[in-house]
């Protein structure tokens, strides 16, 4: 039988081994393996009508959008999480160009990857066909590690609370609106029912389309925050708010005042907090002959950012 001093000595030696692991390790799986493994979850999807591909992703580590999102409009998209391995995307796009299916494109790299049991990869092709795999080792992490395939979309994640993926899939399928809004709704739904058991730190949302101008492509990233989902939602509001504001201006210029007023009201709600856009809001009100709200927005801008006064000569 083991004595208490022996057990204490053994435990101490194991702890000292763990403490020698490089400090970049983020969580228990990282500490045990010496790898930089991160709890992550994502929704990847294709909108056939808009010809857009998109990915929304979140993690308990820094700048998740830096290495997990890969999209080539007109070809497909890949989400690569857990222990990120970019060749799944780089090789995958080459495979797709050569006529491979999305399943073949992913498995071609997996067959050459000795560490595939630490990966989680999802892909979607130019027609919305999907495939994903979850590495075997992820089953031994805390929480749930899995993926679900839907029509033109995939949800996947690791170290998740119970039923997170089911809520993400259901929310994506039921939500209406632009692809970006559906992706973010899916991601937030997963967080609301538990998200990752190890917490949250960053989130990203990328949507690209074959017919999108550069200013309509979406590449939003919250690299470090205590509330990354709230911050990501705000960034998306700003994206669509600027579009609504531009539409208001052009509607008034075309003589359609009711449409201009409607678009401007929506823009004001979405752009709250981005004082760099307050000058255009005030200017549009002024063009429409509404000087009182124009002045209100100017005053608001000065309160939020005293340096905004450099814009005053324009008025």
């Amino acid at each position: 039988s083991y004595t208490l001093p022996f057990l204490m000595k053994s435990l101490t030696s194991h702890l000292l081994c763990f403490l020698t692991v490089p400090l970049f390790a983020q969580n228990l799986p990282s500490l045990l393996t010496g790898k930089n493994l991160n709890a992550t979850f994502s929704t990847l999807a294709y909108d056939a009508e808009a010809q857009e591909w998109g990915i929304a992703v979140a993690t308990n580590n820094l700048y998740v959008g830096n290495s997990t999102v890969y999209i080539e409009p007109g070809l497909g998209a890949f989400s690569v999480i857990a222990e990120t391995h970019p060749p799944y995307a780089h090789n995958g796009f080459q495979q797709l160009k050569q006529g491979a299916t999305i399943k073949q494109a992913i498995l071609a790299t997996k067959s050459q990857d000795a560490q595939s049991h630490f990966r989680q990869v999802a892909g979607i092709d130019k027609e919305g066909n999907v495939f994903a795999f979850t590495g075997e080792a992820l089953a031994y992490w805390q929480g749930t590690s899995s993926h679900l395939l839907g029509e033109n979309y995939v949800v996947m994640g690791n170290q998740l609370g119970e039923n997170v993926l089911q809520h993400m899939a259901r929310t994506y399928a039921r939500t209406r609106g632009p692809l970006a809004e559906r992706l973010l709704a899916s991601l937030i739904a997963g967080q609301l029912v538990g998200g990752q058991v190890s917490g949250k730190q960053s989130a990203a949302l990328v949507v690209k389309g074959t017919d999108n101008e550069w200013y309509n492509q979406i590449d939003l990233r919250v690299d470090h925050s205590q509330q990354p989902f709230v911050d990501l939602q705000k960034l998306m509001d700003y994206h669509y708010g600027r579009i609504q504001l531009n539409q208001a201006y052009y509607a008034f210029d075309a003589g359609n005042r009711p449409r201009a007023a409607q678009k401007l009201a929506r823009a004001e709600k979405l752009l709250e907090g981005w004082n760099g856009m307050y000058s255009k809001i005030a200017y549009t009100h002024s063009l429409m002959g509404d000087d009182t709200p124009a002045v209100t927005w100017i005053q608001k801008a000065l309160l939020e950012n005293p340096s905004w006064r450099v814009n005053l000569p324009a008025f």
Side-chain angles (χ1 to χ4, degrees), residues 106-128:
I106 291 175
L107 293 184
T109 299
K110 185 183 180 187
S111 67
Q112 303 297 317
D113 179 16
Q115 303 292 311
S116 63
H117 49 284
F118 288 120
R119 324 284 191 205
Q120 202 168 19
V121 180
I124 192 164
D125 67 13
K126 63 182 179 180
E127 297 174 346

Side-chain angles (χ1 to χ4, degrees), residues 168-178 181-186:
M168 291 173 67
R170 190 178 306 117
T171 299
Y172 178 81
R174 293 179 178 177
T175 302
R176 296 295 175 263
E181 292 184 359
R182 285 179 279 157
L183 288 168
L184 186 54
S186 173

Side-chain angles (χ1 to χ4, degrees), residues 288-303:
M288 296 173 65
D290 301 328
D291 286 343
T292 297
V295 170
T296 298
W297 279 99
I298 291 171
Q299 292 173 329
K300 180 176 173 61
L302 291 169
L303 284 172

Side-chain angles (χ1 to χ4, degrees), residues 41 137 179:
F41 61 109
L179 179 59

